[in-house]
Amino acid sequence: MIRWTDTHTHLNDEVYEGELEQILARMEQAGVGRAIVVGYDLASAQKAVELARLHAPLYAAVGVHPHEAKDYTEETEAELGKLLQEPKVVALGEVGLDYHYDHSPRGVQQEVFRRQIRLARVHKMPLIIHEREATKDALDILREEHAEEVGGVFHCFSGSVETAKEALALNFYISIAGPVTFANARRLPQVILEIPADRLMVETDCPYLTPHPYRGKRNEPAFVTYVGAEVARILGIAPEELARLTWENADRCFRWTPRRES
Ligand code: NI
């Protein structure tokens, strides 16, 4: 039986309000066995935990996105600390740096990133990293804060082979999203061929970045199969084989245990 893990979703986004049952049914039908609902601020993290509590195939990640770093306080950190102890929370994220939009000042983003890496180490939780146009600073901070102790994943990877190798050396996995299916994807296939098969994962990042042939429509976890099929094609292996590999990789990255399967 083919089973995919969608390692990055925002089913906590309000666009899915009232439709979750149908989305979960389509997910099951497509062979997507589990999905991580990722927080980007405190409210969305709480919602992620609540969704994971209510639905067996859903798990949660809690953290504050660099866009929202300006609102990060002591209270936020204390609440995240509590949420990290919930049984179906499998990661701290998404966290990192985004110099493309600069919704929060860069110095604030860096400080909040550092604090959340420390929090992940305290709770022994892997990190889900969002990095855009901030590669050098992100890698420097991960190194300085000893993020390799917990590892995690670079989500929606779009960087170079060199960046991928630095991430791998820091004990991180590389997760591939919908852009790999776009006709103009050039660098990504080369990067995928350089990543060891035991360090690759797939995701939708829904509701964004819908893969071909649904590009332009709203994304959802069932569509991770299109991402997986394209990555398998690039690697020259069967989709079933990639599903099995990436499932096992997610098991290792997120320390999925029998306790968390319950
Ligand atoms: Ni995301």
Side-chain angles (χ1 to χ4, degrees):
M1 191 182 73
I2 188 161
R3 279 197 309 173
W4 296 96
T5 304
D6 186 349
T7 62
H8 198 107
T9 79
H10 296 291
L11 291 178
N12 44 358
D13 192 293
E14 60 188 13
V15 297
Y16 298 115
E17 209 69 59
E19 275 186 73
L20 207 60
E21 294 300 336
Q22 293 100 296
I23 285 162
L24 291 170
R26 288 196 289 270
M27 188 177 141
E28 194 186 338
Q29 198 147 30
V32 182
R34 59 189 180 187
I36 301 176
V37 184
V38 181
Y40 39 90
D41 60 10
L42 194 54
S44 62
Q46 285 161 338
K47 181 84 185 287
V49 171
E50 185 191 317
L51 290 176
R53 253 197 226 122
L54 290 171
H55 304 283
L58 301 184
Y59 295 81
V62 301
V64 174
H65 192 284
H67 288 345
E68 320 298 334
K70 58 187 181 303
D71 299 323
Y72 191 92
T73 63
E74 295 287 342
E75 290 72 36
T76 314
E77 190 158 296
E79 274 309 307
L80 286 178
K82 282 185 207 155
L83 291 173
L84 286 166
Q85 295 169 53
E86 290 281 336
K88 287 183 80 184
V89 172
V90 296
L92 194 155
E94 58 188 292
V95 299
L97 301 175
D98 192 314
Y99 293 173
H100 179 76
Y101 288 106
D102 280 324
H103 287 331
S104 291
R106 292 183 183 183
V108 175
Q109 291 188 40
Q110 291 162 11
E111 181 55 24
V112 169
F113 187 27
R114 285 182 191 279
R115 288 177 64 162
Q116 291 184 98
I117 297 169
R118 290 172 204 156
L119 191 63
R121 290 179 59 203
V122 168
H123 290 272
K124 299 182 169 49
M125 276 286 176
L127 290 153
I128 296 176
I129 305 295
H130 170 106
E131 180 270 301
R132 191 155 179 204
E133 293 172 27
T135 309
K136 187 188 178 302
D137 285 359
L139 289 168
D140 284 348
I141 289 173
L142 287 168
R143 253 182 243 112
E144 286 163 19
E145 298 294 338
H146 296 288
E148 75 281 357
E149 199 181 286
V150 288
V153 58
F154 272 58
H155 112 84
C156 191
F157 191 80
S158 64
S160 65
V161 170
E162 292 69 36
T163 303
K165 286 185 173 164
E166 297 209 50
L168 293 167
L170 280 164
N171 199 17
F172 279 78
Y173 288 70
I174 303 289
S175 182
I176 306 297
V180 75
T181 68
F182 300 166
N184 62 356
R186 290 198 187 86
R187 185 163 69 169
L188 206 45
Q190 290 169 295
V191 172
I192 288 167
L193 288 166
E194 295 283 335
I195 298 169
D198 63 354
R199 302 293 282 279
L200 263 177
M201 299 196 295
V202 288
E203 64 174 78
T204 56
D205 197 18
C206 66
Y208 317 106
L209 297 173
T210 312
H212 176 79
Y214 294 104
R215 192 173 183 182
K217 300 204 172 125
R218 193 184 68 193
N219 203 357
E220 61 178 70
F223 296 163
V224 81
T225 54
Y226 294 96
V227 177
E230 181 58 17
V231 174
R233 193 192 64 75
I234 291 164
L235 292 174
I237 63 175
E240 291 77 6
E241 177 64 3
L242 187 76
R244 187 188 62 74
L245 270 168
T246 50
W247 183 280
E248 290 171 5
N249 295 346
D251 270 350
R252 250 179 287 112
C253 177
F254 299 109
R255 284 78 121 169
W256 248 301
T257 64
R259 180 177 64 90
R260 283 180 178 149
E261 293 288 0
S262 67

